Amino acid sequence: MYRQFPEIKKVYLKYGFTDLRKGTAGLESIIKLHFGKDPMEPGALFLFCGRSCSKMKALIWDNDGFILIKKELSRGRYCWPRDADDLKYISEESFARLLDGFTIDSSIR
């Protein structure tokens, strides 16, 4: 039977680059140990990007385990914030802008 994807209530973006060779346990430990957040927070989607900005990983808790999503662009790069090593909450609008190839800062056209 088909299971529905968990509802996304919050999107957290990790600024800077992440070693995307890390799997679920490695990304979970970054969230928990480095930023003090609960990786099992219901509805929280955590986003990570590699150094090349062409690949992204997302981690979300599904009540009985983690879902790890990887997206690799065939052309182009994500406009990923690189100015700090921080975890920031972003709005749905900023998330959509990022997936569409724009910067998350809506003041920049």
Side-chain angles (χ1 to χ4, degrees):
M1 180 174 203
Y2 174 74
R3 286 184 62 178
Q4 189 170 350
F5 193 78
E7 181 183 1
I8 298 172
K9 298 176 184 170
K10 292 182 182 176
V11 178
Y12 293 99
L13 185 135
K14 187 208 174 273
Y15 280 46
F17 75 89
T18 302
D19 181 354
L20 292 185
R21 293 176 293 181
K22 293 182 184 298
T24 304
L27 297 176
E28 178 188 1
S29 68
I30 290 173
I31 297 164
K32 193 184 310 180
L33 301 175
H34 192 73
F35 297 110
K37 293 278 186 192
D38 180 9
M40 292 183 244
E41 178 183 340
L45 179 72
F46 296 90
L47 301 174
F48 304 88
C49 188
R51 192 176 292 275
S52 71
C53 293
S54 64
K55 299 174 188 170
M56 175 191 339
K57 281 192 175 180
L59 191 67
I60 188 167
W61 177 252
D62 185 28
N63 295 324
D64 62 355
F66 284 103
I67 298 173
L68 180 64
I69 304 161
K70 178 183 175 189
K71 182 173 181 182
E72 185 172 349
L73 298 175
S74 58
R75 291 180 298 161
R77 297 165 43 125
Y78 291 108
C79 295
W80 206 269
R82 298 287 186 188
D83 55 350
D85 185 29
D86 201 1
L87 186 71
K88 305 251 183 183
Y89 167 78
I90 62 172
S91 67
E92 284 183 41
E93 177 188 348
S94 293
F95 181 45
R97 289 178 58 79
L98 178 70
L99 292 180
D100 287 339
F102 297 100
T103 178
I104 60 170
D105 185 358
S106 61
S107 66
I108 299 174
R109 304 269 180 233

